[in-house]
Amino acid sequence: MVANSVLHVADVHKSFGGLKALSDVDLNVEEGTTHAIIGPNGAGKSTLLNVCVGRIRPDSGHVVFNGEVLDNHTPFEINQLGVSRVFQTPEIFSDLTLLDNVMIPAFASRDGAFSLRPFSKLRHEATIREEAEKTLADVGLEVMKDREAGSLSRGDKRRLELAMCLIQHPKLLLLDEPTAGMSRHDTNRTVDLLKTIKERGMTKVIIEHDMHVVFSLADKISVLAQGRIIASGTPDEIKGNPKVQEAYLGGAH
Amino acid sequence: MKEMLNREPFALAAFSLVILLMPIWLTPFGANYPDLLQKFAIFAIFAMGFNILFGLTGYLSFGHAAFLGVGSYAAVWSFKLFTMNVIPAIFFGVAFAGIFALAIGYVSLRRSGIYFSILTLAFAQMSYNLAYSVLTPITNGETGLQLTLQDPRIIDNAFTTPGAGLPETNLFGIDMSGYPGFYFCAVVLIICFFITRRIFNSPFGLTLRGIKSNQNRMGYTGLNTRPYTLTAFVISGMFAGLAGSLLAVTDPLAGAERMQWTASGEVVLMTILGGVGTLIGPMLGAWLIKYLENIFSSFNEITLEHFFSFLPEGLQSFAVELASLFVGEGWHLTLGVLFMLIVIFLPGGLMEGWRRLLRRFSGGGGGKSEPAAAVQPAE
């Protein structure tokens, strides 16, 4: 295990029935880096993220976050440790306003997994409200803050979900195709936003198909194919790796 | 929007005014007699509490009448054993309903959706049947739990000698029948409104709404939903217990039929009719149903003939014939038709109708800034 590793996935196996979704997956994400995971469809990328956030338990192997083994942690405990996740299909509070959507995670970070103060007033939570407005401004949604989240376009929902994660100032941010379904313009904005987060020192794991996004963000890339990590390294190393080219061209058909 | 005005004192004052003046403004509707007014206040509390669970978290309980029944039994026992003062009775009603809700909620909330509803329904029916069978020593079975002359009433009897007849429930000497009983229930309702409003406007209430909207996201947001839903369940159970004890305050007897599933279903209807998740909608729904139940059901052919007397002979008897299906015994038909109309055309209940009216009259121009302000228009 590397000294400054934030996330360490150690020998993780996961099968669904006869299908081996993940086998022998070993991954080290170093602090402050952006680690991209690429690979053809069905390679097990989303399963890997699901294992990291406690949605799926591995058949064997461990996930270690900041020195803590996450074997028996529920999703909310993992989030409280400092892991936030953006989903492939946006998971937002569709019936609530954008501001409320961002305030709920902010309360979760400040007050913990359960806090019973039924008589304290939202009106008095000026600090959280301001922070929520600022975070919405960061992702470019501040003008819509009083709109119902369900009425947003797909791309805006993604940005809202990103804001919901960012307001928690997670130590580790997991992004599952954060720019899928976005226009080129919105994609570039999101990439710029993710770059500024990098300057703040947040560690990120990103699953992405758009190679333009991957190569403009990633410090390190791991390639997943048929549940195995077939290559890991800097973007330049990955570009020249023949196994990767084979997986992408040969594995897709 | 920036400097947020504190609307709380205004909302409370307006609400109190409406409630306390009910005997006056309900006069034209023929609903200004204390017995019905008490029911209006009590079932408003029941529905308001139910809405804290159903309206905020989305968990649909089909067994809330059980808590109403527990509240009634506990209150009557307090009258029998200790004192005719209503304060201890209410305390015991709320406390026992709370404990009961904690136990049932702990088990039922392990499931969500229809499974949760079925579990609560099963628990309530179990309580109902137990009240008729093994628990007869506590519930007095079919006869219902009543006051008797032999009751110990230890606190009262220590200070006064019992009179010849059955004593009345009282609040430090004020008899709780008739209008005093209504005003007592009204004050309790106002307190409940205050509590509910605070819950709605707190981070806790916001979290409950998040659970209703997307429970999956809650977990990945670092929130443990189980204690939140359980708290909401217990609070709404305590509201139901409070309503049940108030029923006993205004009329000190408790029967198992109060716990039947139809009673649980009624509070669901009230909430949906009025507007799920709105602050005062459930109360309006409760009033509508209690009004239909008490006023519509008392209409008979003579009232109808009088009402349609402006029509020619043949037409009059036809109209009376037709209308009599919907009144008297047939008031359930009116309720059913009304319920269908509201669910189909106003899925948000009476409150949605109110909101639409407001929007129409405030004009299309101010439409953009409206939604946030229109959420609780009647405050």
Side-chain angles (χ1 to χ4, degrees):
Chain A
M1 193 172 144
V2 188
N4 59 351
S5 147
V6 170
L7 179 75
H8 180 50
V9 179
D11 295 326
V12 163
H13 287 260
K14 180 71 199 177
S15 306
F16 298 109
L19 179 78
K20 275 194 174 168
L22 296 174
S23 42
D24 257 340
V25 172
D26 216 276
L27 188 74
N28 252 312
V29 179
E30 286 163 41
E31 192 172 353
T33 61
T34 300
H35 198 126
I37 295 170
I38 61 171
N41 285 326
K45 302 186 297 290
S46 291
T47 310
L48 181 59
L49 284 201
N50 284 340
V51 168
C52 294
V53 295
R55 190 181 223 181
I56 293 175
R57 293 210 188 289
D59 297 335
S60 67
H62 304 285
V63 177
V64 183
F65 172 71
N66 254 356
E68 191 146 356
V69 183
L70 303 181
D71 283 356
N72 292 309
H73 285 59
T74 58
F76 78 82
E77 287 166 337
I78 293 176
N79 176 280
Q80 288 289 344
L81 289 175
V83 182
S84 286
R85 173 174 181 185
V86 174
F87 285 81
Q88 203 171 348
T89 13
E91 293 271 1
I92 53 171
F93 304 115
S94 310
D95 318 324
L96 305 183
T97 64
L98 269 60
L99 196 61
D100 287 344
N101 265 272
V102 185
M103 280 172 79
I104 290 177
F107 283 124
S109 301
R110 194 193 65 183
D111 300 338
F114 176 65
S115 101
L116 184 60
R117 292 176 301 119
F119 297 125
S120 73
K121 295 178 185 171
L122 273 180
R123 211 161 47 77
H124 291 166
E125 302 284 0
T127 333
I128 294 248
R129 185 180 300 272
E130 274 159 28
E131 203 185 343
E133 280 167 0
K134 204 182 128 288
T135 313
L136 281 175
D138 283 346
V139 297
L141 291 173
E142 77 277 26
V143 286
M144 295 196 263
K145 68 185 164 75
D146 291 322
R147 259 181 58 182
E148 217 172 70
S151 67
L152 295 181
S153 71
R154 207 173 133 88
D156 284 347
K157 281 181 184 168
R158 280 178 183 288
R159 286 194 282 168
L160 172 63
E161 200 187 17
L162 188 58
M164 291 163 75
C165 292
L166 291 181
I167 201 169
Q168 296 196 309
H169 303 294
K171 295 190 186 96
L172 175 66
L173 179 61
L174 307 174
L175 301 134
D176 199 343
E177 300 193 21
T179 64
M182 278 191 190
S183 66
R184 178 50 53 188
H185 172 72
D186 281 348
T187 302
N188 288 339
R189 277 184 65 175
T190 308
V191 170
D192 289 343
L193 176 66
L194 291 173
K195 275 183 181 161
T196 63
I197 307 167
K198 190 176 163 185
E199 285 153 20
R200 289 184 218 161
M202 197 182 287
T203 313
K204 293 191 295 291
V205 172
I206 177 167
I207 290 179
E208 186 57 72
H209 280 298
D210 188 332
M211 287 305 143
H212 161 73
V213 175
V214 170
F215 285 108
S216 51
L217 283 175
D219 303 305
K220 253 194 142 177
I221 300 176
S222 292
V223 186
L224 203 61
Q226 292 169 341
R228 285 173 191 281
I229 293 200
I230 55 168
S232 227
T234 63
D236 289 334
E237 287 166 7
I238 294 298
K239 262 183 202 163
N241 190 320
K243 267 160 81 183
V244 176
Q245 285 158 3
E246 186 195 337
Y248 261 89
L249 300 172
H253 296 284
Chain B
M1 272 314 265
K2 207 71 189 169
E3 85 289 356
M4 298 282 250
L5 192 71
N6 186 3
R7 294 196 299 175
E8 191 162 57
F10 173 71
L12 268 182
F15 185 83
S16 309
L17 211 62
V18 170
I19 299 299
L20 294 173
L21 294 182
M22 273 168 91
I24 296 169
W25 64 261
L26 279 175
T27 308
F29 301 96
N32 62 335
Y33 55 97
D35 196 39
L36 182 58
L37 289 171
Q38 289 163 2
K39 281 201 181 115
F40 277 0
I42 293 169
F43 283 91
I45 294 171
F46 188 25
M48 238 179 215
F50 180 76
N51 187 47
I52 292 175
L53 180 71
F54 180 42
L56 291 183
T57 70
Y59 277 79
L60 174 56
S61 159
F62 257 110
H64 254 53
F67 308 126
L68 191 80
V70 169
S72 287
Y73 281 123
V76 175
W77 272 112
S78 163
F79 293 142
K80 285 168 83 71
L81 294 176
F82 307 120
T83 168
M84 291 306 288
N85 192 318
V86 298
I87 301 293
I90 287 175
F91 171 78
F92 285 118
V94 173
F96 274 92
I99 294 165
F100 204 59
L102 188 66
I104 291 185
Y106 184 79
V107 179
S108 306
L109 286 166
R110 298 184 163 264
R111 292 283 169 271
S112 59
I114 186 78
Y115 303 101
F116 168 80
S117 302
I118 296 291
L119 277 172
T120 50
L121 176 64
F123 272 116
Q125 279 305 89
M126 198 169 78
S127 317
Y128 169 68
N129 285 312
L130 286 177
Y132 269 129
S133 53
V134 280
L135 292 180
T136 310
I138 299 173
T139 62
N140 207 17
E142 270 176 65
T143 331
L145 192 63
Q146 300 170 0
L147 302 178
T148 64
L149 288 170
Q150 287 78 43
D151 290 334
R153 248 185 300 282
I154 43 176
I155 297 176
D156 282 2
N157 291 352
F159 297 104
T160 53
T161 44
L166 284 173
E168 295 259 9
T169 55
N170 66 71
L171 177 70
F172 306 112
I174 310 164
D175 278 358
M176 285 291 109
S177 52
Y179 277 110
F182 161 69
Y183 283 111
F184 180 70
C185 296
V187 169
V188 178
L189 171 60
I190 291 164
I191 296 169
C192 287
F193 170 78
F194 173 74
I195 295 173
T196 311
R197 195 172 179 280
R198 272 294 178 87
I199 291 175
F200 267 62
N201 294 331
S202 68
F204 174 74
L206 180 62
T207 311
L208 295 183
R209 268 182 231 155
I211 292 173
K212 180 181 186 179
S213 185
N214 188 345
Q215 188 152 4
N216 193 28
R217 182 25 108 181
M218 292 307 273
Y220 300 104
T221 302
L223 290 161
N224 187 2
T225 55
R226 191 75 65 73
Y228 279 103
T229 46
L230 187 58
T231 310
F233 193 89
V234 171
I235 293 175
S236 80
M238 286 164 86
F239 269 66
L242 176 62
S245 59
L246 287 175
L247 282 175
V249 163
T250 53
D251 184 13
L253 62 98
E257 75 286 341
R258 227 165 247 180
M259 303 170 105
Q260 215 181 348
W261 67 272
T262 48
S264 297
E266 197 180 56
V267 73
V268 180
L269 293 191
M270 288 171 180
T271 310
I272 292 174
L273 273 181
V276 180
T278 60
L279 189 56
I280 62 164
M283 178 177 78
L284 301 180
W287 289 354
L288 184 65
I289 287 187
K290 285 297 149 190
Y291 183 78
L292 289 178
E293 182 185 289
N294 288 276
I295 303 294
F296 255 57
S297 64
S298 67
F299 285 3
N300 52 29
E301 300 236 330
I302 297 156
T303 1
L304 287 175
E305 270 164 28
H306 182 71
F307 183 77
F308 289 114
S309 56
F310 63 93
L311 292 171
E313 189 81 11
L315 216 53
Q316 183 198 5
S317 58
F318 175 73
V320 169
E321 198 76 1
L322 191 72
S324 65
L325 284 174
F326 291 88
V327 299
E329 295 274 286
W331 76 272
H332 280 112
L333 187 58
T334 316
L335 178 61
V337 170
L338 197 68
F339 187 72
M340 287 201 302
L341 288 177
I342 285 192
V343 169
I344 293 168
F345 295 107
L346 282 178
L350 295 174
M351 291 306 285
E352 187 178 326
W354 171 249
R355 242 172 279 148
R356 283 189 193 174
L357 274 180
L358 272 192
R359 220 170 298 155
R360 182 147 311 167
F361 285 116
S362 66
K368 215 180 164 222
S369 62
E370 266 313 286
V375 176
Q376 292 153 356
E379 287 185 2

